[in-house]
Amino acid sequence: MGTRRGPPGGRPSSIETVPLRDSADEAPALARRDAVIVRPEEAIPVRAWITQRQSGEAQVDGEAIAWAGRQVNVRYVDRHGREGWAWLWADAVERR
């Protein structure tokens, strides 16, 4: 069972989080190392493609909570109703 905590700068929620064993694969941290991280005052509704370690590929609804260079930090709800966060390539994210 996942915990109920958000990432730094994310909004806390009361729903279960995606367990580490099924978390989404992320874009490489080194690719955003020197990029400026932008955090909007309000999250932007998005739809994103993710690949979860156990559940596989899925398109999910979520919110862009930050971006840096060509990557977007997305808070999403997976098909099991669990909340997750992942840095994704911008090409995998579109505004809703």
Side-chain angles (χ1 to χ4, degrees), residues 43-66:
I44 298 168
V46 296
R47 183 161 288 130
W49 282 101
I50 61 169
T51 302
Q52 289 179 276
R53 294 178 182 151
Q54 290 184 333
S55 299
E57 295 176 354
Q59 192 172 34
V60 296
D61 287 336
E63 299 175 326
I65 59 172

Side-chain angles (χ1 to χ4, degrees), residues 24-28 32 46-51 58 60 66-76 85-93:
D25 291 336
E26 292 195 312
R32 66 180 177 275
V46 296
R47 183 161 288 130
W49 282 101
I50 61 169
T51 302
V60 296
W67 53 86
R70 295 179 19 226
Q71 295 183 18
V72 182
N73 192 356
V74 175
R75 175 198 163 272
Y76 64 91
W85 293 266
W87 279 100
L88 305 173
W89 289 111
D91 289 348
V93 180

